[in-house]
């Protein structure tokens, strides 16, 4: 297990950084377009294809998205490893295959300049950022407390989403992300 700490993390309460990406279907994704749909919240998941941590969590975060999308939570997956030639499994073509194979219910976008990851202060995959309807960061960190689903005791992101939807104070607004480091260029 790798515990990741970040040098310049986005602080809870910060505004959503502006971004402009194209997803695996070549659709433009921007912060403005996401919020034009008037979501109750937005989860930005920094992820990739090759990381064993992502592989162990992927079904769980896809399931959580499928449950929360109809309740007004938008989702966006960002792969900041896509431009790194040393990680062919994270290429845009492999991202397209992954979206089809796993029936992603939300956009998966390559961060080819890695500027989106830098603006969020993202450090690893998987790492999650939950914003409210006013574009304020309400939670950042990991999905839950164990890579092995059978040992999970605390579902950090799901709890934060439930608190957000119920207009409650977020019980835990930060957890330390655990995963593979972003493969910086």
């Amino acid at each position: 297990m790798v515990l990741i700490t970040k040098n310049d993390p986005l602080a809870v309460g910060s505004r959503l950084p502006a971004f402009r990406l194209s997803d695996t279907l070549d659709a433009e994704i921007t912060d403005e377009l996401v919020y034009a749909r008037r979501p109750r919240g937005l989860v930005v998941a920094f992820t990739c294809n090759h990381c064993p941590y992502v592989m162990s969590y992927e079904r769980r975060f896809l399931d959580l998205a499928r449950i929360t999308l109809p309740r007004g939570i938008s989702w966006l997956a960002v792969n900041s490893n896509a431009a790194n030639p040393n990680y062919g499994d994270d290429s845009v073509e492999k991202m397209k295959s992954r979206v089809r194979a796993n029936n992603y219910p939300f956009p998966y976008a390559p961060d080819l300049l890695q500027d989106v990851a830098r603006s969020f202060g993202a450090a690893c995959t998987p790492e999650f950022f939950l914003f409210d309807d006013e574009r304020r960061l309400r939670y950042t960190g990991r999905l839950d407390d164990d890579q092995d689903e059978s040992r999970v005791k605390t579902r950090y992101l799901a709890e934060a989403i439930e608190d957000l939807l119920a207009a409650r104070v977020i019980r835990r607004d930060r957890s330390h992300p655990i995963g593979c480091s972003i493969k910086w260029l």
Side-chain angles (χ1 to χ4, degrees), residues 5 13 58 74 87 89 107 118 139 141 153 155 158 172:
T5 57
E58 184 175 45
S74 291
Y87 293 88
D89 285 344
R118 283 186 179 85
Y139 169 80
K153 294 185 179 126
R155 299 185 187 281
R172 289 178 193 90

Side-chain angles (χ1 to χ4, degrees), residues 41-118:
L42 167 67
V43 174
V44 178
F46 286 87
T47 188
C48 68
N49 293 351
H50 86 276
C51 172
Y53 291 91
V54 168
M55 288 185 241
S56 67
Y57 282 105
E58 184 175 45
R59 185 188 51 77
R60 283 184 269 172
F61 77 75
L62 290 173
D63 288 347
L64 182 59
R66 288 183 182 104
I67 291 166
T68 59
L69 279 161
R71 297 175 67 202
I73 302 296
S74 291
W75 285 70
L76 170 64
V78 178
N79 180 354
S80 297
N81 295 345
N84 192 319
N86 297 320
Y87 293 88
D89 285 344
D90 290 335
S91 71
V92 175
E93 287 307 312
K94 297 280 179 115
M95 290 172 63
K96 290 176 181 181
S97 296
R98 187 172 212 94
V99 166
R100 285 189 301 272
N102 293 300
N103 195 27
Y104 271 47
F106 50 80
Y108 187 18
D111 178 16
L112 298 175
L113 300 176
Q114 298 182 322
D115 55 341
V116 177
R118 283 186 179 85

Side-chain angles (χ1 to χ4, degrees), residues 167-181:
R168 293 187 298 251
V169 172
I170 306 295
R171 289 170 265 186
R172 289 178 193 90
D173 60 11
R174 184 174 295 278
S175 63
H176 294 288
I178 296 175
C180 298
S181 64

Side-chain angles (χ1 to χ4, degrees), residues 136-154:
R136 296 283 178 193
L137 182 63
R138 299 290 301 277
Y139 169 80
T140 181
R142 59 187 180 222
L143 185 72
D144 56 40
D145 65 353
D146 205 297
Q147 188 177 357
D148 181 343
E149 187 173 14
S150 69
R151 296 190 307 238
V152 171
K153 294 185 179 126
T154 306

Side-chain angles (χ1 to χ4, degrees), residues 155-168:
R155 299 185 187 281
Y156 299 112
L157 181 58
E159 286 178 3
I161 291 171
E162 289 305 316
D163 289 344
L164 178 74
L165 291 172
R168 293 187 298 251

